[in-house]
Amino acid sequence: MSDTVRLVCPAGRKHVELWAGYALVALGIVAIAVDPTHWANITLGVLTAVIGAALAVHGHLIKVPVLEVSDGEFRYERGRYVVSVPFHDIGSYYVLPGRIRSLGLCDTAGRPKRFPSLQSRRSSRTYLPLTGMTKPAKVESFMAMAGIPPRKRSLSA
């Protein structure tokens, strides 16, 4: 596979924090502009703008998972956590249902692959966490474009 196939998982919390932060900054500026001579408006406006700026900065720091297949390699990236698997080692995949979806990969024999855990919380895990807003159909479409069959249609099982 020479083309790059990429899926960036949406994160609702990130969008909410960004929009709320920018709205609070704007509200703080409006509060100061309404009556710039009164100390209460200035204090309220500055506090609102500072809280909004902090919320927006925190929203920018939230890392979303990125799935990518290119140059014969499957790559999962979430911030500093990166998993790279040679494309020929992947036999199939499955999507775990739940509030926060996860992606599991199987080897060519049909056994789940194990990955190192995020932030050393466990010794290993058999899935890669996605976000709650990630639709299973979108993951299935991405994997179909990458050429990885679902577990129920795996050639080895």
Side-chain angles (χ1 to χ4, degrees):
M1 168 171 275
S2 61
D3 293 337
T4 299
V5 181
R6 184 180 180 121
L7 172 68
V8 178
C9 299
R13 187 173 135 213
K14 180 178 182 113
H15 297 296
V16 168
E17 286 190 19
L18 288 174
W19 281 100
Y22 294 142
L24 284 175
V25 168
L27 186 65
I29 293 170
V30 168
I32 292 171
V34 166
D35 188 11
T37 59
H38 197 271
W39 66 270
N41 281 5
I42 294 172
T43 305
L44 179 66
V46 168
L47 283 175
T48 305
V50 167
I51 291 170
L55 195 60
V57 166
H58 188 264
H60 280 290
L61 294 177
I62 294 173
K63 304 295 183 202
V64 294
V66 177
L67 304 172
E68 184 176 74
V69 175
S70 67
D71 300 328
E73 179 179 72
F74 176 87
R75 185 175 172 90
Y76 170 87
E77 186 175 338
R78 184 175 185 179
R80 294 184 321 186
Y81 181 71
V82 178
V83 172
S84 296
V85 179
F87 191 72
H88 59 81
D89 288 350
I90 301 173
S92 59
Y93 76 94
Y94 57 97
V95 178
L96 295 171
R99 197 179 100 208
I100 297 182
R101 295 191 178 54
S102 298
L103 175 69
L105 298 176
C106 298
D107 60 11
T108 54
R111 294 183 305 266
K113 295 186 78 52
R114 299 199 63 79
F115 307 104
S117 71
L118 293 171
Q119 302 169 353
S120 300
R121 291 191 183 149
R122 296 185 197 106
S123 58
S124 66
R125 61 178 62 205
T126 58
Y127 56 89
L128 300 168
L130 303 174
T131 61
M133 290 183 68
T134 305
K135 295 185 178 9
K138 200 166 194 169
V139 175
E140 291 169 4
S141 170
F142 166 77
M143 295 303 247
M145 285 182 2
I148 301 171
R151 187 175 197 174
K152 60 187 171 204
R153 285 185 260 157
S154 175
L155 297 175
S156 61

